Amino acid sequence: MTTTAPERAAPPTPPSRPSAGRRLLTRLLRWWRQLTAMRTALVLLFLLAVASIPGSLLPQRSLSQNSVNRYFADHPTLAPWLDRLFLFDVFSSPWFAAIYLLLFISLIGCVLPRALEHARALFQPPPAAPRHLHRLPDNAALTTPLPGPVALDVVEEELRVRRYRVARRDGRHGPEVAAEKGYLRETGNVLFHLSLLALLVGLAGGKLWGYEGSILVTEGQGFCNSFQQYDTYRSGPLVDSGDLSDLCVDLTDFEAEYEEDLTASSYTADITYGPAGDSGASRETIGVNDPLRVDGDRVYVTGHGFSPTFDVTLPDGTAFTGLSAPFLPADTATMASQGVLKLPDLGAGRTDQLGIEGFFAPTGVVQGGILTSVDPRPLDPQVAIVVYSGYLGLDSGLPQSVYSLDQTQIDRDLLTRVGAANLRAGESTTLPDGTVVTFTGYAEYAALQLSHDPGQVYVLGASIAVLVGLLGMLLVRRERVFVRVGPAPEGGGTVLSIGSLTRGSAETGPRFTALSDEVGAALATRAAAGPPSRSTEETPPS
């Protein structure tokens, strides 16, 4: 007898691998869901706050280039490494912009669907009551001799008095009432996040279309709103020179007031301002927290200092009078300042140039031949100068600071020291070639900053809306109350099952107890009143 082997079943066909486009789409959708999750938005918001810390601790170029230069001088090894990480330009750095952009996208993907869902929920009735009301955190059962419909009438009236939205329906488990209030809690939540999104938009708009410039202005001088005149300036990528407003500011007087401990209490600057060439310029007094506001521009006083004045008389009798240059404070406690006055053109026949490097002391004291300052007020102004002669290198094409001499010119013997002296106002020193340098006094200067931020109004409105939304989230409770009627176990009455669910409050027991007590009292009052009399019933028309 011959037997045949059973046929083997064919192996199952392996599933086909998704196409590359489908796999890419799947990964993009998964990445989008992760990016638009609320947890991701919170993490990015925390990272944005952490990323702002270096901008508060370290000097920023957009605010004070001089402070950055001073930090480089004090920390010559650390500062270049920090600069490579954009820590002196935190708020315009690529990594800060990346966090900002990701947070912006995350909020859009997270908040907009939530806002649309909340808008739909506003026009929907409260949800149906759950099957087991006794499983809710707060629940109670009330017995009343009233029939079910009348009992629900009483409950509905009590809930409407408490400003609940009420829906009455015949549920699968019996007649019921569902009520809800506290929609402002979710509205505040949505408003908070939408306002935060608007705040980011306002800040971004201010960065894109805004600009600011800083300049030191000595009394009697002024400036016009032009990037070429500012010592430092910053502008958004969508701003060009034609977008700057037509505004010129002249500093007529500056005054600094000091406390008894010699700390500055206030700075006030008397200015005139108006369009270029306007002879009838307006007058205003501005301070640190009281800027000039005109046509969307703001002019602030951010600091002050002194500009020593000199007269230089050459051996041939040529005189240069009223020469001055701002000296930068090296010690803000005593306003001891350092700076340089450069004279590149001494007239025909002179090929050499002069540089007067100085140390100005508002209240000077000479100790051991070294001039120091003991008071920020100009009680006894003195200056210590070192005079150099030679080539300043101003036309070399290489950038150099207007507040100091180029040290490389001195190292290469292109500038030679020709004199030094400590001078009071009115005193002078004579150089070997017969040139006379006279310290004639000082003038005060104000550090002014002009800022234009078109997004500031939107940022203010969004900030107020953020606070309003936050108050709604914290102060409003979201409450739902469900009531279902059923026959009493022994007949002759009705049992009301009441359940409550509350969000936004830890102590819900007392509120629910008060609600159930008032509902019970209303039921008892209605039962005691009995059925409505015929005299109160509506008489049908004849």
Side-chain angles (χ1 to χ4, degrees), residues 90-274:
V90 169
F91 303 105
S92 59
S93 63
W95 49 268
F96 190 88
I99 299 174
Y100 190 95
L101 183 60
L102 287 175
L103 177 60
F104 187 76
I105 297 174
S106 178
L107 284 175
I108 291 178
C110 177
V111 175
L112 292 184
R114 189 168 183 175
L116 295 175
E117 181 181 355
H118 178 61
R120 288 193 298 267
L122 289 175
F123 300 98
Q124 294 178 354
R131 179 176 181 179
H132 302 287
L133 294 181
H134 62 277
R135 293 182 180 178
L136 295 180
D138 298 305
N139 60 87
L142 300 177
T143 303
T144 176
L146 297 173
V150 178
L152 288 182
D153 289 342
V154 175
V155 172
E156 183 177 352
E157 182 180 354
E158 287 295 322
L159 293 176
R160 290 189 185 279
V161 169
R162 290 172 172 259
R163 300 183 181 277
Y164 282 85
R165 289 198 314 165
V166 180
R168 185 168 173 175
R169 58 173 68 92
D170 291 328
R172 292 187 300 173
H173 306 288
E176 64 184 28
V177 168
E180 186 173 19
K181 75 173 181 178
Y183 272 82
L184 287 179
R185 176 180 175 84
E186 184 62 22
T187 302
N189 195 345
V190 173
L191 177 63
F192 173 80
H193 289 92
L194 288 177
S195 302
L196 187 61
L197 185 62
L199 181 65
L200 294 179
V201 172
L203 291 174
K207 293 295 183 181
L208 292 175
W209 285 280
Y211 58 84
E212 65 182 19
S214 300
I215 186 173
L216 303 183
V217 182
T218 305
E219 291 174 325
Q221 300 179 4
F223 73 97
C224 289
N225 189 18
S226 172
F227 287 146
Q228 291 77 13
Q229 295 197 20
Y230 291 119
D231 298 331
T232 60
Y233 73 89
R234 178 200 63 81
S235 63
L238 301 181
V239 177
D240 56 36
S241 58
D243 297 327
L244 273 64
S245 59
D246 184 12
L247 178 66
C248 292
V249 178
D250 293 327
L251 178 64
T252 58
D253 184 62
F254 180 85
E255 182 177 356
E257 296 182 0
Y258 295 89
E259 302 287 352
E260 294 182 357
D261 58 355
L262 300 183
T263 58
S265 60
S266 67
Y267 304 143
T268 56
D270 294 334
I271 62 172
T272 60
Y273 66 94

Side-chain angles (χ1 to χ4, degrees), residues 20 30 46 50 77 87 94 186 218 255 283 330 417:
R30 185 182 300 115
F46 175 75
V50 173
T77 303
L87 294 183
E186 184 62 22
T218 305
E255 182 177 356
R283 298 180 179 274
R417 176 173 171 171

Side-chain angles (χ1 to χ4, degrees), residues 3-158:
T3 60
T4 59
E7 296 182 359
R8 294 183 178 179
T13 303
S16 60
R17 187 179 183 186
S19 63
R22 188 178 182 84
R23 293 198 304 272
L24 177 61
L25 180 61
T26 302
R27 291 184 179 179
L28 288 177
L29 290 176
R30 185 182 300 115
W31 176 81
W32 176 255
R33 285 194 297 267
Q34 292 176 351
L35 179 62
T36 57
M38 182 60 71
R39 179 181 301 177
T40 304
L42 292 176
V43 171
L44 290 173
L45 189 61
F46 175 75
L47 288 178
L48 192 69
V50 173
S52 303
I53 294 177
S56 303
L57 299 179
L58 296 174
Q60 300 296 296
R61 285 192 175 91
S62 61
L63 298 178
S64 176
Q65 179 66 45
N66 297 328
S67 299
V68 176
N69 295 339
R70 190 178 303 114
Y71 192 92
F72 269 82
D74 296 338
H75 307 85
T77 303
L78 178 62
W81 288 99
L82 297 179
D83 197 24
R84 293 188 183 98
L85 298 176
F86 300 94
L87 294 183
F88 299 112
D89 302 278
V90 169
F91 303 105
S92 59
S93 63
W95 49 268
F96 190 88
I99 299 174
Y100 190 95
L101 183 60
L102 287 175
L103 177 60
F104 187 76
I105 297 174
S106 178
L107 284 175
I108 291 178
C110 177
V111 175
L112 292 184
R114 189 168 183 175
L116 295 175
E117 181 181 355
H118 178 61
R120 288 193 298 267
L122 289 175
F123 300 98
Q124 294 178 354
R131 179 176 181 179
H132 302 287
L133 294 181
H134 62 277
R135 293 182 180 178
L136 295 180
D138 298 305
N139 60 87
L142 300 177
T143 303
T144 176
L146 297 173
V150 178
L152 288 182
D153 289 342
V154 175
V155 172
E156 183 177 352
E157 182 180 354
E158 287 295 322

